[in-house]
Structure formats: structure tokens, C-alpha cells
């Protein structure tokens, strides 16, 4: 490959004249923005153990009242992007959020899409678009773009959940903003309680963009176990959190999945373009990303850059491991840059 000219090769007065006119020569930067063969991601494989994160999060509860935080979150920041950028990957933001008994995180809505995966604690709820969503361990609750949401806590122990947002992308697009709102009137929902059965009042299907806002872990876990038992030859026991009206991903930008590793199973994932995040709901796993290996205990989280070889393993010989996975697949597919490399 031909070595391209460098900025230092150009006369300083020429570079200054260019800059004066808001002009930049492409060739010194061409290889950096379009490297040969594959991207050079800033995203680094990173592991955030819950055992070290949790005491720091609880300390935030002592240091900063909810009124001063609005959302009491420690951001799981990827050092490859620089911690201050608050991003886990190019398009994903991760935050571990703490809500203490009696606290209320006020109603707001914003353009970035969010989901929360409940890590521990009982008695908290999120109201999304008026629907009260109880928060139990392993539940996935959507707060899609533009929908009002607030959090409350009627239980006795601290509640912690993992927020996953497409904030870095929406912020990059200069489309990120929020609006504060009033406390919502709550209603429950039992629609879409069974797979394949959708509400059809007088033959009309719902036109809501996000018909399901809460995916209970009990249902997801049962679906995974049903798959594992019913299809013993299946290599990857995995489900996608989907929109039941369209079959598409539950949200537009990021994809969300649950994956079960059978006892003793090793699963080599195909090398794909999107970055991925893994969070252990139950059990433990080793996650090998290229030549780095992390041992994830329950409630641990890690991320892997796109275009990397990832192998998941459950070292337990007796019990399965359940993982929550978030990734950038819907975004890559929609943009036409999705790739699988064997
Ligand atoms: Fe929010």
C-alpha cells in the first residue's frame, strides 16, 4: 500500500492558508478514516465487575440525594473512547442506576432510546407512557424515544438497574434533548401476555410504535428453557426482544437479546460488524474477546468492539448461564454496513 503524504510534508504557510479558509487536505487523514481491510475501533473490550461497582454506586446514594442527581447513575465508560465521552461503544451508552426506597426520579422524555435491565432489588417501578411497569430482576423495560417515563420505589431495599441507551449516536447526530414533565397517571397492562396473541379490537391492530414496554424475565427465561429443551441440537439458545406487531427489533437503533448457555457450553459467535454488550442475569461466564478473557460473575457487564472474535463459555457443569445482550445490529442493518465475517 502506497504511503500517503503527511501534513508535515506540506509548507507551513500553505497549511495555514488552507486553515484560514476552513479547508483541510484529505490525504494525510485518509488512512485514519478509512483504514485498510477493517475498522480500527476506539471501543476496547472492557469488563465492569458488579462487586466493585455496587459499593461505589451505594456511596453515590449517600453523597448525592436524588433531587440533586435526577437520575443517580454511574456510567460504564469505555476507556478507548475516553471516560468523559460516557460511551460504551460508538452507539451504546451503559449506566448503572440506583434508586433508594421512597425515591422518585421525575418524569421526562428524550430523543435517545433507553432500556433498563433490572439487576437487583424489588419494589421499584417505571411508568412509561402511563403504563406502570413493575421492575423485577431480569425484566427488560423500554423507554423509547419521545415516551414519558419516571421511576418510583415502594420497596425496602435499594434497586439497581442497567440502562442501555443509544445516546452516543443520537448526541453525535446533534439530535439529543430532553423535556421535563408532570407525574403520570398510571394504568396497568396485560395486553400481549402470550406470544402470537395480539389485541385486535374490532379487527384493528395496534398502531403504537412500541406496543410492549415491559418484557418480564420470567417469560424470557421460560422461552429460553423451552428452546433448550425442545431443540437440543440448537447451538445458540437465543431470543430477540421484538415488537410483536411487526416482528422487528423492539427498538430502532439497538438490538436486545437473551441468551442461555447450557451447562458446560462454549459458544463461538461469528465475527460481525456491530459492537456488543453482555450482562450476566444468572450464573457466570467467560467472555473471550480476541486475546482478552474476562470472567463474568452474576450482574457483571462487559463490552466487545465490532469486528472482533467473541467466544462465550459457561464453566459450570451443572447449571445454565443466562445473559442479556445488547448490540448495534439494527443500526448497522438499516445503514447497510452490517457484516458477518465467518
Ligand atoms: Fe430518561
Amino acid at each position: 500500500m502506497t504511503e500517503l503524504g503527511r501534513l508535515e510534508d506540506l509548507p507551513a504557510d500553505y497549511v495555514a492558508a488552507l486553515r484560514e479558509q476552513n479547508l483541510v487536505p484529505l490525504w494525510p487523514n485518509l488512512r485514519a478514516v478509512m483504514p485498510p481491510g477493517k475498522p480500527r475501533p476506539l471501543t476496547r473490550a472492557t469488563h465492569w465487575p458488579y462487586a466493585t461497582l455496587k459499593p461505589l454506586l451505594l456511596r453515590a446514594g449517600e453523597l448525592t440525594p436524588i433531587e440533586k442527581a435526577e437520575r443517580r447513575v454511574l456510567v460504564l465508560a469505555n476507556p478507548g473512547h475516553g471516560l468523559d465521552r460516557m460511551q460504551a461503544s460508538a452507539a451504546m451508552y451503559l449506566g448503572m442506576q440506583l434508586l433508594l426506597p421512597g425515591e422518585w426520579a421525575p418524569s421526562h422524555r428524550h430523543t435517545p432510546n433507553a432500556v433498563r435491565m433490572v439487576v437487583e432489588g424489588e419494589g421499584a417501578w417505571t411508568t412509561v407512557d402511563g403504563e406502570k411497569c413493575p421492575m423485577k430482576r431480569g425484566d427488560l423495560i423500554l423507554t423509547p424515544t419521545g415516551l414519558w417515563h419516571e421511576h418510583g420505589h415502594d420497596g425496602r431495599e435499594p434497586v439497581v438497574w442497567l440502562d442501555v441507551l443509544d445516546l452516543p449516536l443520537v448526541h453525535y447526530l446533534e439530535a439529543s434533548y430532553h423535556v421535563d414533565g408532570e407525574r403520570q397517571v398510571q394504568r396497568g397492562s396485560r395486553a400481549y401476555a402470550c406470544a402470537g396473541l395480539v389485541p385486535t379490537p374490532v379487527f384493528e391492530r395496534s398502531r403504537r410504535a412500541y406496543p410492549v414496554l415491559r418484557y418480564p424475565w420470567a417469560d424470557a427465561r421460560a422461552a429460553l428453557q423451552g428452546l433448550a429443551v425442545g431443540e437440543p441440537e440448537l447451538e445458540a439458545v437465543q431470543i430477540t426482544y421484538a415488537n410483536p406487531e411487526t416482528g422487528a427489533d423492539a427498538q430502532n437503533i439497538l438490538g436486545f437479546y437473551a441468551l442461555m448457555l447450557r451447562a458446560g457450553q462454549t459458544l463461538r459467535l461469528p465475527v460481525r460488524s456491530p459492537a456488543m454488550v453482555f450482562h450476566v442475569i444468572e450464573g457466570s461466564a467467560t467472555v473471550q474477546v480476541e486475546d482478552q478473557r474476562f470472567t463474568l460473575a452474576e450482574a457483571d457487564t462487559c463490552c466487545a468492539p465490532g469486528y472482533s472474535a467473541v467466544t462465550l463459555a459457561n464453566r459450570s457443569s451443572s447449571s445454565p448461564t443466562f445473559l442479556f445482550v445488547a448490540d448495534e445490529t439494527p443500526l448497522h442493518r438499516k445503514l447497510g454496513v452490517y457484516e458477518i465475517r465467518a
Side-chain angles (χ1 to χ4, degrees):
M1 189 175 53
T2 315
E3 198 71 15
L4 300 180
R6 300 167 306 167
L7 199 61
E8 307 88 273
D9 301 335
L10 296 169
D13 66 316
Y14 175 66
V15 173
L18 289 177
R19 298 192 71 83
E20 182 66 26
Q21 298 301 314
N22 297 321
L23 297 169
V24 175
L26 172 61
W27 58 96
N29 300 309
L30 182 60
R31 298 286 188 239
V33 292
M34 267 188 268
K38 69 174 208 173
R40 288 188 202 129
L42 291 175
T43 304
R44 278 189 224 156
T46 308
H47 176 203
W48 294 273
Y50 190 62
T52 48
L53 189 159
K54 185 181 172 183
L56 294 167
L57 185 58
L58 290 175
R59 199 158 163 227
E62 296 162 14
L63 294 170
T64 308
I66 192 73
E67 298 75 24
K68 289 284 180 192
E70 202 168 290
R71 298 294 192 267
R72 194 189 289 109
V73 176
L74 293 181
V75 178
L76 281 57
N78 193 300
H81 288 271
L83 299 184
D84 293 334
R85 299 286 296 272
M86 298 198 301
Q87 54 193 103
S89 72
M92 290 189 283
Y93 156 106
L94 299 174
M96 206 61 91
Q97 183 157 173
L98 170 70
L99 197 65
L100 296 172
E103 288 186 334
W104 179 60
S107 189
H108 71 185
R109 60 185 170 90
H110 38 69
T111 44
N113 295 275
V115 301
R116 29 217 107 254
M117 162 55 51
V118 182
V119 176
E120 71 168 303
E122 294 272 327
W125 43 265
T126 298
T127 304
V128 191
D129 198 24
E131 182 178 325
K132 185 174 182 179
C133 301
M135 302 179 85
K136 289 202 176 118
R137 179 176 160 70
D139 289 353
L140 185 76
I141 293 162
L142 308 189
T143 55
T145 182
L147 297 195
W148 295 108
H149 55 281
E150 63 194 89
H151 313 290
H153 189 354
D154 304 325
R156 294 183 177 177
E157 298 296 323
V159 164
V160 177
W161 64 79
L162 177 69
D163 291 314
V164 187
L165 278 77
D166 48 30
L167 176 63
L169 177 72
V170 180
H171 183 256
Y172 176 74
L173 295 174
E174 299 183 340
S176 178
Y177 71 95
H178 90 282
V179 180
D180 290 324
E182 300 295 318
R183 195 181 277 256
Q184 299 170 72
V185 177
Q186 295 175 330
R187 57 180 160 72
S189 174
R190 288 202 40 81
Y192 302 95
C194 294
L197 302 176
V198 301
T200 315
V202 204
F203 305 98
E204 287 297 320
R205 298 282 282 269
S206 170
R207 298 207 172 100
R208 289 165 64 191
Y210 306 98
V212 173
L213 297 169
R214 174 175 181 255
Y215 297 78
W217 174 235
D219 294 350
R221 194 180 194 282
L224 287 166
Q225 286 190 305
L227 259 181
V229 171
E231 309 204 23
E233 302 303 315
L234 200 60
E235 196 200 359
V237 183
Q238 183 178 1
I239 53 172
T240 296
Y241 291 93
N243 177 328
E245 290 289 352
T246 64
D249 292 284
Q251 290 189 342
N252 290 327
I253 294 176
L254 301 180
F256 306 101
Y257 321 85
L259 195 150
M260 172 178 154
L261 296 170
R262 295 180 170 96
Q265 183 182 4
T266 297
L267 178 65
R268 189 178 151 273
L269 299 177
V271 173
R272 305 181 311 133
S273 54
M276 289 182 284
V277 163
F278 302 97
H279 173 81
V280 179
I281 300 177
E282 282 182 50
S284 61
T286 59
V287 180
Q288 175 103 25
V289 183
E290 296 290 342
D291 55 0
Q292 277 178 281
R293 176 178 293 190
F294 306 122
T295 301
L296 272 64
E298 212 159 273
D300 281 11
T301 307
C302 78
C303 78
Y307 293 89
S308 54
V310 177
T311 301
L312 309 171
N314 176 10
R315 306 267 171 213
S316 166
S317 56
S318 54
S319 38
T321 288
F322 294 95
L323 298 172
F324 169 62
V325 184
D327 80 351
E328 301 165 338
T329 295
L331 175 66
H332 279 222
R333 285 192 202 275
K334 285 179 178 119
L335 297 181
V337 299
Y338 184 74
E339 266 190 57
I340 304 176
R341 295 190 176 183

